[in-house]
Amino acid sequence: MSQNESPDQVTLTVAGNAVELPVQRGTLGNPCIEIAKLPKATGCFTYDPGFGATASCKSAITYIDGEEGVLLYRGYPIEQLAARSNFLEVAYLLMNGELPTQDEFARFESDVTHHTMMHEAFKSFIGGFRHDAHPMAMLVGMLGSMASFYHNTLDLDDPEQRRMAAIRLIAKVPTIAAACYRHSIGWPLRYPRNNLEYVERFLHMMFEVPAGPLELKPVAARALDLLFILHADHEQNASTSTVRLVGSTGANPYACVAAGVAALWGPAHGGANEAVLKMLAEIGDAKHVQSAVDRAKDKESGFRLMGFGHRVYKNFDPRATIIREMTHKVLDELGIDDPMLEVAMRLEEAALKDDYFVQRKLYPNVDFYSGIIYKALGIPTEMFTVMFAIARTAGWVSHWLEQQEDPEFRIGRPRQIYTGHATRDYPAK
Ligand code: CMC
């Protein structure tokens, strides 16, 4: 039902008792039946595992039309932002609702740039992790600890303190991420070079060695900036919903974002880009593609094509289309002949003509090609989800900021269908 066709209210009859439920409409998207008064009026809750049919909040940040393959940040199509903007400008847009003027951007960039350093005590914190700790484990821990460094600026009623916390997170997550990587390979930590732009600074923190300068190809920074734009936000996905749920308790933003990173880690969410590369490596050769497709169709196998399917996109993922093009460009310009790209293209081709995938509307998602670009840039597989986290921090803090100003803001507290024992007596001894 479209917005225009939707009635102002619907009637639900429960055991002969008719309840009028208002219908809420946003600017775009499906109308939503408001059910808040349902329990009081009928004694019933609603049941929606995975929240596939439930809007948890009102938000003006990002809009997705999964049928049409549309993704808008603050109304701007992702294709236009990918072609004409940069990650930091997109972060500003997500946080503030409008594109910045030149002066606003200069101030924002300067604010972010001046908060890139970590407290020195972080170094011993990082040193405490095992050398082979997964960087996502380190990132969750490090972000969780951030509040302990900024406890004097955690007055959530102060809009400026909220803004600064968001800036600190956008600024420091790349520094922390690069430090986690360097710890894992035994390199000395690198301080952020503030004469560089956001993405280049991160690449320097990742790859510069004391022994010599780093020569960075412009296509590397451009590709990473593009990936960051495409991953910056995706409305109420699992990690953003987690940030909001934690945020609804009044917890500080560092704890909220640490929780978001934990949610992102899973292979059904941000961990998929790592899983895609492992899968492509396992398939190994284009001649094994068909058997991988067959295995993914066999429910008994427990194997899914990673990087395929999406809860919301049921046509194509517009981010995948943009990334696919950039993948070819990066490999060409860096002169890399990666057999995984061949496997990926054959896999995509085979799945897209297979009835199983066509009927279920399973298309390559954002993570299908992103890993190939990360690999070409020299980023190790374990860091892929960390890269996603750097970009998504812009979305998480924007949702957290929006939530703090939401007049309908209340603690998130879902209900359940209890399936355990009914009341029973403790056995006599
Ligand atoms: N390979 C094979 N079959 C699949 C796949 C897949 N990748 N994805 C879904 N299906 C099947 C699934 O078995 C089910 O079949 P049936 O109707 O016969 O039971 C049907 O398609 C619907 O799947 P679902 O699990 O009910 O769909 P969902 O909306 O709950 O899950 C998903 C979405 C993304 C978790 C899922 O498609 C998946 O596991 N994909 C692989 C992991 C992946 O690439 N995740 C990254 C998502 S994009 C990045 C992000 O936003 O985090």
Side-chain angles (χ1 to χ4, degrees):
M1 189 191 301
S2 74
Q3 295 261 356
N4 295 340
E5 291 163 342
S6 69
D8 290 336
Q9 57 181 27
V10 294
T11 309
L12 181 74
T13 307
V14 180
N17 177 16
V19 189
E20 306 292 344
L21 298 172
V23 175
Q24 298 248 5
R25 297 186 194 93
T27 332
L28 298 167
N30 299 52
C32 290
I33 301 167
E34 191 183 328
I35 54 159
K37 69 176 183 188
L38 203 60
K40 213 167 173 186
T42 67
C44 292
F45 296 134
T46 54
Y47 179 57
D48 181 20
F51 311 118
T54 300
S56 60
C57 63
K58 291 179 186 154
S59 178
I61 300 175
T62 291
Y63 173 74
I64 302 172
D65 183 333
E67 294 298 329
E68 298 297 325
V70 170
L71 170 60
L72 310 176
Y73 292 165
R74 299 287 189 180
Y76 295 105
I78 193 66
E79 293 80 2
Q80 292 181 22
L81 292 168
R84 304 192 1 220
S85 186
N86 62 60
F87 173 67
L88 217 48
E89 186 181 63
V90 164
Y92 181 97
L93 172 69
L94 291 170
M95 269 176 68
N96 297 286
E98 295 297 337
L99 285 166
T101 61
Q102 252 182 359
D103 286 352
E104 284 165 343
F105 184 73
R107 180 176 168 219
F108 184 66
E109 190 174 35
S110 147
D111 283 348
V112 170
T113 304
H114 284 96
H115 286 89
T116 50
M117 298 244 306
M118 291 189 298
H119 192 288
E120 280 296 285
F122 264 117
K123 278 189 178 173
S124 40
F125 207 107
I126 290 205
F129 286 107
R130 273 177 65 114
H131 71 281
D132 58 353
H134 194 286
M136 282 299 277
M138 292 194 244
L139 190 63
V140 175
M142 300 283 290
L143 283 171
S145 78
M146 260 180 93
S148 67
F149 292 94
Y150 302 107
H151 50 82
N152 291 333
T153 53
L154 286 177
D155 177 1
L156 302 190
D157 292 328
D158 178 347
E160 185 51 19
Q161 291 196 25
R162 295 201 299 264
R163 189 183 81 87
M164 280 317 300
I167 299 252
R168 273 203 186 95
L169 280 157
I170 291 174
K172 289 189 204 303
V173 169
T175 313
I176 295 172
C180 294
Y181 168 63
R182 295 179 79 98
H183 173 71
S184 71
I185 55 167
W187 283 3
L189 302 192
R190 213 79 191 122
Y191 288 106
R193 285 178 35 177
N194 283 351
N195 58 331
L196 298 174
E197 289 183 0
Y198 191 85
V199 165
E200 287 168 341
R201 183 165 56 235
F202 170 70
L203 287 169
H204 274 262
M205 286 189 287
M206 282 284 288
F207 298 123
E208 200 174 39
V209 288
L214 175 72
E215 273 179 39
L216 206 58
K217 291 257 172 58
V219 72
R222 178 64 199 131
L224 192 56
D225 195 69
L226 177 74
L227 287 176
F228 282 180
I229 292 174
L230 300 180
H231 283 94
D233 194 42
H234 215 224
E235 50 118 307
Q236 311 309 321
N237 56 85
S239 57
T240 303
S241 297
T242 303
V243 169
R244 279 183 177 266
L245 190 60
V246 180
S248 80
T249 69
N252 70 74
Y254 306 105
C256 296
V257 170
V261 174
L264 187 74
W265 196 354
H269 191 8
N273 52 17
E274 186 176 338
V276 169
L277 224 67
K278 285 186 180 150
M279 175 191 75
L280 294 177
E282 265 167 40
I283 296 173
D285 191 291
K287 66 177 184 258
H288 303 310
V289 157
Q290 193 51 50
S291 64
V293 170
D294 293 341
R295 200 148 67 88
K297 288 164 27 179
D298 173 9
K299 299 277 192 270
E300 299 297 304
S301 73
F303 169 73
R304 282 186 169 198
L305 283 192
M306 299 315 288
F308 263 77
H310 198 276
R311 170 60 62 82
V312 181
Y313 293 119
K314 298 299 173 198
N315 190 332
F316 65 96
D317 180 340
R319 303 167 301 172
T321 314
I322 299 168
I323 290 185
R324 192 178 197 274
E325 210 177 288
M326 182 51 103
T327 310
H328 288 280
K329 203 168 170 180
V330 167
L331 297 188
D332 283 352
E333 286 194 31
L334 296 182
I336 296 173
D337 181 16
D338 188 343
M340 279 204 195
L341 181 63
E342 179 63 16
V343 176
M345 287 193 314
R346 295 292 81 83
L347 191 60
E348 181 181 0
E349 208 174 83
L352 291 184
K353 21 180 226 235
D354 192 294
D355 266 1
Y356 173 97
F357 290 88
V358 173
Q359 275 165 16
R360 288 168 181 77
K361 301 188 172 180
L362 300 169
Y363 295 87
N365 60 47
V366 68
D367 286 325
F368 191 66
Y369 282 103
S370 62
I372 297 176
I373 298 188
Y374 287 141
K375 183 169 173 259
L377 303 186
I379 292 165
T381 318
E382 305 74 54
M383 281 293 288
F384 288 1
T385 315
V386 173
M387 308 302 290
F388 194 157
I390 296 174
R392 190 52 62 84
T393 298
W396 291 330
V397 298
S398 303
H399 282 270
W400 178 79
L401 287 169
E402 183 181 64
Q403 179 186 44
Q404 300 302 307
E405 293 186 352
D406 184 347
E408 294 176 6
F409 175 30
R410 61 200 291 241
I411 187 167
R413 181 35 174 111
R415 310 305 295 233
Q416 65 170 359
I417 298 177
Y418 175 68
T419 59
H421 288 285
T423 311
R424 51 182 174 162
D425 288 324
Y426 188 79
K429 282 186 184 154

